[in-house]
PDB file of all heavy atoms in Angstrom:
ATOM      1  N   GLU A 141      20.856 -26.227  28.866  1.00 96.00           N
ATOM      2  CA  GLU A 141      19.623 -26.842  28.378  1.00 96.00           C
ATOM      3  C   GLU A 141      18.465 -25.851  28.284  1.00 96.00           C
ATOM      4  O   GLU A 141      17.497 -26.099  27.564  1.00 96.00           O
ATOM      5  CB  GLU A 141      19.216 -28.004  29.291  1.00 96.00           C
ATOM      6  CG  GLU A 141      20.092 -29.232  29.173  1.00 96.00           C
ATOM      7  CD  GLU A 141      19.974 -29.944  27.831  1.00 96.00           C
ATOM      8  OE1 GLU A 141      19.102 -29.547  27.024  1.00 96.00           O
ATOM      9  OE2 GLU A 141      20.740 -30.883  27.592  1.00 96.00           O
ATOM     10  N   GLN A 142      18.519 -24.729  29.005  1.00 96.00           N
ATOM     11  CA  GLN A 142      17.405 -23.788  28.983  1.00 96.00           C
ATOM     12  C   GLN A 142      17.622 -22.722  27.909  1.00 96.00           C
ATOM     13  O   GLN A 142      18.555 -21.929  28.006  1.00 96.00           O
ATOM     14  CB  GLN A 142      17.246 -23.109  30.332  1.00 96.00           C
ATOM     15  CG  GLN A 142      16.145 -22.064  30.376  1.00 96.00           C
ATOM     16  CD  GLN A 142      14.769 -22.627  30.058  1.00 96.00           C
ATOM     17  OE1 GLN A 142      14.418 -23.719  30.523  1.00 96.00           O
ATOM     18  NE2 GLN A 142      14.002 -21.916  29.269  1.00 96.00           N
ATOM     19  N   PRO A 143      16.792 -22.682  26.869  1.00 95.00           N
ATOM     20  CA  PRO A 143      16.895 -21.586  25.904  1.00 95.00           C
ATOM     21  C   PRO A 143      16.444 -20.274  26.524  1.00 95.00           C
ATOM     22  O   PRO A 143      15.659 -20.260  27.479  1.00 95.00           O
ATOM     23  CB  PRO A 143      15.965 -22.020  24.774  1.00 95.00           C
ATOM     24  CG  PRO A 143      14.976 -22.933  25.414  1.00 95.00           C
ATOM     25  CD  PRO A 143      15.701 -23.606  26.537  1.00 95.00           C
ATOM     26  N   GLY A 144      16.948 -19.183  26.008  1.00 96.00           N
ATOM     27  CA  GLY A 144      16.586 -17.871  26.532  1.00 96.00           C
ATOM     28  C   GLY A 144      16.537 -16.829  25.441  1.00 96.00           C
ATOM     29  O   GLY A 144      16.302 -17.143  24.269  1.00 96.00           O
ATOM     30  N   TRP A 145      16.798 -15.591  25.824  1.00 95.00           N
ATOM     31  CA  TRP A 145      16.679 -14.485  24.865  1.00 95.00           C
ATOM     32  C   TRP A 145      18.018 -14.128  24.231  1.00 95.00           C
ATOM     33  O   TRP A 145      18.121 -13.101  23.569  1.00 95.00           O
ATOM     34  CB  TRP A 145      16.080 -13.259  25.559  1.00 95.00           C
ATOM     35  CG  TRP A 145      14.784 -13.572  26.256  1.00 95.00           C
ATOM     36  CD1 TRP A 145      14.446 -13.230  27.533  1.00 95.00           C
ATOM     37  CD2 TRP A 145      13.655 -14.282  25.738  1.00 95.00           C
ATOM     38  NE1 TRP A 145      13.192 -13.679  27.846  1.00 95.00           N
ATOM     39  CE2 TRP A 145      12.674 -14.339  26.753  1.00 95.00           C
ATOM     40  CE3 TRP A 145      13.363 -14.895  24.513  1.00 95.00           C
ATOM     41  CZ2 TRP A 145      11.443 -14.965  26.597  1.00 95.00           C
ATOM     42  CZ3 TRP A 145      12.140 -15.532  24.339  1.00 95.00           C
ATOM     43  CH2 TRP A 145      11.200 -15.546  25.371  1.00 95.00           C
ATOM     44  N   ARG A 146      19.008 -14.933  24.441  1.00 95.00           N
ATOM     45  CA  ARG A 146      20.309 -14.774  23.782  1.00 95.00           C
ATOM     46  C   ARG A 146      20.920 -16.150  23.621  1.00 95.00           C
ATOM     47  O   ARG A 146      20.440 -17.140  24.198  1.00 95.00           O
ATOM     48  CB  ARG A 146      21.238 -13.875  24.608  1.00 95.00           C
ATOM     49  CG  ARG A 146      21.476 -14.412  26.001  1.00 95.00           C
ATOM     50  CD  ARG A 146      22.642 -13.752  26.704  1.00 95.00           C
ATOM     51  NE  ARG A 146      22.755 -14.209  28.084  1.00 95.00           N
ATOM     52  CZ  ARG A 146      23.260 -15.373  28.463  1.00 95.00           C
ATOM     53  NH1 ARG A 146      23.714 -16.229  27.556  1.00 95.00           N
ATOM     54  NH2 ARG A 146      23.320 -15.700  29.742  1.00 95.00           N
ATOM     55  N   ALA A 147      21.975 -16.256  22.853  1.00 94.00           N
ATOM     56  CA  ALA A 147      22.662 -17.529  22.685  1.00 94.00           C
ATOM     57  C   ALA A 147      23.477 -17.848  23.922  1.00 94.00           C
ATOM     58  O   ALA A 147      23.850 -16.967  24.693  1.00 94.00           O
ATOM     59  CB  ALA A 147      23.571 -17.473  21.459  1.00 94.00           C
ATOM     60  N   GLY A 148      23.767 -19.139  24.117  1.00 96.00           N
ATOM     61  CA  GLY A 148      24.625 -19.563  25.205  1.00 96.00           C
ATOM     62  C   GLY A 148      23.842 -20.006  26.426  1.00 96.00           C
ATOM     63  O   GLY A 148      22.618 -20.017  26.439  1.00 96.00           O
ATOM     64  N   PRO A 149      24.552 -20.377  27.488  1.00 97.00           N
ATOM     65  CA  PRO A 149      23.893 -20.835  28.717  1.00 97.00           C
ATOM     66  C   PRO A 149      23.134 -19.695  29.386  1.00 97.00           C
ATOM     67  O   PRO A 149      23.495 -18.529  29.275  1.00 97.00           O
ATOM     68  CB  PRO A 149      25.057 -21.325  29.591  1.00 97.00           C
ATOM     69  CG  PRO A 149      26.250 -20.575  29.075  1.00 97.00           C
ATOM     70  CD  PRO A 149      26.027 -20.393  27.611  1.00 97.00           C
ATOM     71  N   ILE A 150      22.082 -20.045  30.098  1.00 97.00           N
ATOM     72  CA  ILE A 150      21.185 -19.084  30.742  1.00 97.00           C
ATOM     73  C   ILE A 150      21.192 -19.330  32.255  1.00 97.00           C
ATOM     74  O   ILE A 150      21.070 -20.461  32.708  1.00 97.00           O
ATOM     75  CB  ILE A 150      19.743 -19.226  30.199  1.00 97.00           C
ATOM     76  CG1 ILE A 150      19.707 -18.933  28.701  1.00 97.00           C
ATOM     77  CG2 ILE A 150      18.774 -18.322  30.960  1.00 97.00           C
ATOM     78  CD1 ILE A 150      20.118 -17.527  28.327  1.00 97.00           C
ATOM     79  N   LYS A 217      15.299 -29.078  22.633  1.00 91.00           N
ATOM     80  CA  LYS A 217      15.674 -27.674  22.795  1.00 91.00           C
ATOM     81  C   LYS A 217      15.607 -26.977  21.443  1.00 91.00           C
ATOM     82  O   LYS A 217      16.141 -27.478  20.445  1.00 91.00           O
ATOM     83  CB  LYS A 217      17.091 -27.564  23.369  1.00 91.00           C
ATOM     84  CG  LYS A 217      17.554 -26.127  23.584  1.00 91.00           C
ATOM     85  CD  LYS A 217      18.953 -26.060  24.143  1.00 91.00           C
ATOM     86  CE  LYS A 217      19.424 -24.609  24.283  1.00 91.00           C
ATOM     87  NZ  LYS A 217      20.794 -24.512  24.803  1.00 91.00           N
ATOM     88  N   THR A 218      14.957 -25.831  21.401  1.00 87.00           N
ATOM     89  CA  THR A 218      14.833 -25.068  20.168  1.00 87.00           C
ATOM     90  C   THR A 218      15.145 -23.604  20.450  1.00 87.00           C
ATOM     91  O   THR A 218      15.068 -23.135  21.582  1.00 87.00           O
ATOM     92  CB  THR A 218      13.418 -25.161  19.578  1.00 87.00           C
ATOM     93  OG1 THR A 218      12.470 -24.672  20.542  1.00 87.00           O
ATOM     94  CG2 THR A 218      13.055 -26.595  19.218  1.00 87.00           C
ATOM     95  N   ASP A 219      15.480 -22.870  19.398  1.00 82.00           N
ATOM     96  CA  ASP A 219      15.713 -21.440  19.496  1.00 82.00           C
ATOM     97  C   ASP A 219      15.015 -20.775  18.311  1.00 82.00           C
ATOM     98  O   ASP A 219      15.412 -21.013  17.175  1.00 82.00           O
ATOM     99  CB  ASP A 219      17.217 -21.155  19.465  1.00 82.00           C
ATOM    100  CG  ASP A 219      17.536 -19.688  19.723  1.00 82.00           C
ATOM    101  OD1 ASP A 219      16.662 -18.990  20.261  1.00 82.00           O
ATOM    102  OD2 ASP A 219      18.648 -19.260  19.356  1.00 82.00           O
ATOM    103  N   PRO A 220      13.946 -20.005  18.512  1.00 76.00           N
ATOM    104  CA  PRO A 220      13.418 -19.580  19.817  1.00 76.00           C
ATOM    105  C   PRO A 220      12.805 -20.740  20.588  1.00 76.00           C
ATOM    106  O   PRO A 220      12.539 -21.799  20.006  1.00 76.00           O
ATOM    107  CB  PRO A 220      12.364 -18.536  19.437  1.00 76.00           C
ATOM    108  CG  PRO A 220      11.914 -18.928  18.084  1.00 76.00           C
ATOM    109  CD  PRO A 220      13.134 -19.487  17.409  1.00 76.00           C
ATOM    110  N   PRO A 221      12.575 -20.546  21.889  1.00 82.00           N
ATOM    111  CA  PRO A 221      12.025 -21.628  22.706  1.00 82.00           C
ATOM    112  C   PRO A 221      10.729 -22.182  22.133  1.00 82.00           C
ATOM    113  O   PRO A 221       9.900 -21.441  21.601  1.00 82.00           O
ATOM    114  CB  PRO A 221      11.774 -20.942  24.057  1.00 82.00           C
ATOM    115  CG  PRO A 221      12.722 -19.790  24.069  1.00 82.00           C
ATOM    116  CD  PRO A 221      12.817 -19.324  22.662  1.00 82.00           C
ATOM    117  N   VAL A 557      12.157 -15.992  35.150  1.00 97.00           N
ATOM    118  CA  VAL A 557      13.241 -16.426  34.272  1.00 97.00           C
ATOM    119  C   VAL A 557      13.258 -15.635  32.968  1.00 97.00           C
ATOM    120  O   VAL A 557      14.301 -15.413  32.374  1.00 97.00           O
ATOM    121  CB  VAL A 557      13.157 -17.950  33.997  1.00 97.00           C
ATOM    122  CG1 VAL A 557      11.952 -18.308  33.122  1.00 97.00           C
ATOM    123  CG2 VAL A 557      14.444 -18.461  33.351  1.00 97.00           C
ATOM    124  N   LEU A 567       9.061 -16.645  30.051  1.00 97.00           N
ATOM    125  CA  LEU A 567       9.781 -17.755  29.423  1.00 97.00           C
ATOM    126  C   LEU A 567       9.429 -19.066  30.109  1.00 97.00           C
ATOM    127  O   LEU A 567       9.480 -19.182  31.331  1.00 97.00           O
ATOM    128  CB  LEU A 567      11.294 -17.512  29.526  1.00 97.00           C
ATOM    129  CG  LEU A 567      12.233 -18.569  28.943  1.00 97.00           C
ATOM    130  CD1 LEU A 567      12.008 -18.726  27.445  1.00 97.00           C
ATOM    131  CD2 LEU A 567      13.702 -18.196  29.223  1.00 97.00           C
ATOM    132  N   GLN A 635      19.936 -12.133  31.311  1.00 98.00           N
ATOM    133  CA  GLN A 635      19.783 -13.471  31.885  1.00 98.00           C
ATOM    134  C   GLN A 635      21.134 -14.088  32.264  1.00 98.00           C
ATOM    135  O   GLN A 635      21.391 -15.252  32.088  1.00 98.00           O
ATOM    136  CB  GLN A 635      19.039 -14.394  30.915  1.00 98.00           C
ATOM    137  CG  GLN A 635      17.602 -13.943  30.644  1.00 98.00           C
ATOM    138  CD  GLN A 635      16.885 -14.834  29.647  1.00 98.00           C
ATOM    139  OE1 GLN A 635      17.350 -15.004  28.519  1.00 98.00           O
ATOM    140  NE2 GLN A 635      15.777 -15.415  30.077  1.00 98.00           N
TER     141      GLN A 635
END
Side-chain angles (χ1 to χ4, degrees):
E141 288 292 354
Q142 178 60 42
W145 307 131
R146 58 165 174 78
I150 298 297
K217 181 181 177 181
T218 59
D219 186 19
V557 69
L567 179 61
Q635 296 178 302

